[in-house]
Amino acid sequence: MVFFPQTPAVRSHMEAQAAFLNDMSKSMFHAFQQMCELNIQLVQTLVEEGALASQQVLSTERQSALFSAASARAQPATEKLRAYQQHVARLAADSQVELARVTEQHVQNTSRTARALVDEVVRTTAEETERSIRNQQEAMRNVADPYARTNGETQRAQPGMGQGGQQGRSSQGSRPEGAPTH
C-alpha cells in the first residue's frame, strides 16, 4: 500500500531518511557491540579473580590467613570495577560524539530534501485547491441554472422549444392566435 505519490521529491527524501537512520543504527549497534565486549571482558576478569580467590581460600590452613587473602583480593576487584565504570563512561561519550557526527553529516541533505518535499506539497495543494474551487463554482452555476449548459445547447434548444410550443398549440385546434378561449 502506497501512502505517498511516487514523486522524485518523496523518493529523494525517503532515501535521505533511510540513509540517516541506517547510519544511526550502525553507530548505535557499534556502541552496543563495544558495551557487550566490555561486559564480557569484565565477567571473564571477575570469574578469573573469583577462581583465584577461592583457590587461595581453599589452600589456606589458618583463619587469619583466610581473612588476609580475602581482603587482599577486595582491593584489585574494586579497582577493576572502577576501571569498568571509566570504560562505560568513555564508551557513552564516544557514542554520543559518533551520533552527533552522523546527525551533522546527514542534516543538510535531509533538510534539503525535506524542503523540496514541502515545496512540492505546497504546489500540489495549491493546484488541488484551485481545481476544487473551480469544481465548486461550476457546481454552484449548475445549481443556480440547472437548464443552462456550458456548451450552448440551451441556446439552440430554446428557439426549437418555442417553435415546438407554438406548433403544439396550433395542432390542438383551429383557433387563430389571439382569439379568445372559452
Side-chain angles (χ1 to χ4, degrees):
M1 177 184 285
V2 177
F3 294 109
F4 299 105
Q6 292 297 321
T7 64
V10 170
R11 193 174 303 114
S12 67
H13 184 64
M14 295 305 281
E15 288 172 358
Q17 287 291 324
F20 172 65
L21 292 175
N22 188 29
D23 287 350
M24 287 292 276
S25 65
K26 281 180 186 178
S27 295
M28 291 175 70
F29 181 76
H30 183 67
F32 181 72
Q33 186 178 16
Q34 288 178 332
M35 190 66 184
C36 288
E37 289 172 0
L38 184 62
N39 286 337
I40 289 171
Q41 183 182 6
L42 175 69
V43 169
Q44 285 176 341
T45 303
L46 291 177
V47 167
E48 288 173 5
E49 290 290 323
L52 286 175
S54 63
Q55 186 180 28
Q56 191 175 19
V57 167
L58 292 175
S59 67
T60 59
E61 295 177 5
R62 295 180 295 152
Q63 268 189 339
S64 61
L66 177 69
F67 290 124
S68 65
S71 64
R73 293 288 175 192
Q75 183 65 27
T78 304
E79 291 298 322
K80 288 186 176 81
L81 287 175
R82 187 174 293 127
Y84 171 77
Q85 183 182 14
Q86 289 172 351
H87 283 291
V88 169
R90 189 173 335 117
L91 279 176
D94 291 347
S95 297
Q96 187 175 9
V97 167
E98 178 65 16
L99 291 175
R101 184 193 63 77
V102 167
T103 302
E104 184 178 333
Q105 178 183 0
H106 287 278
V107 74
Q108 288 179 349
N109 188 30
T110 304
S111 296
R112 181 185 54 77
T113 59
R115 239 179 274 116
L117 180 60
V118 166
D119 291 343
E120 183 174 320
V121 167
V122 166
R123 181 184 52 79
T124 304
T125 303
E127 290 172 359
E128 290 296 322
T129 302
E130 185 178 319
R131 191 176 304 128
S132 176
I133 289 172
R134 279 186 300 209
N135 289 342
Q136 288 176 355
Q137 287 173 344
E138 182 65 29
M140 291 304 292
R141 274 188 234 118
N142 288 340
V143 167
D145 190 6
Y147 298 109
R149 297 193 184 161
T150 58
N151 58 5
E153 290 179 16
T154 56
Q155 294 163 350
R156 280 183 263 147
Q158 285 175 349
M161 277 181 63
Q163 291 172 356
Q166 289 175 356
Q167 289 172 355
R169 267 194 248 146
S170 62
S171 64
Q172 289 176 358
S174 56
R175 228 176 328 166
E177 264 187 65
T181 57
H182 299 290

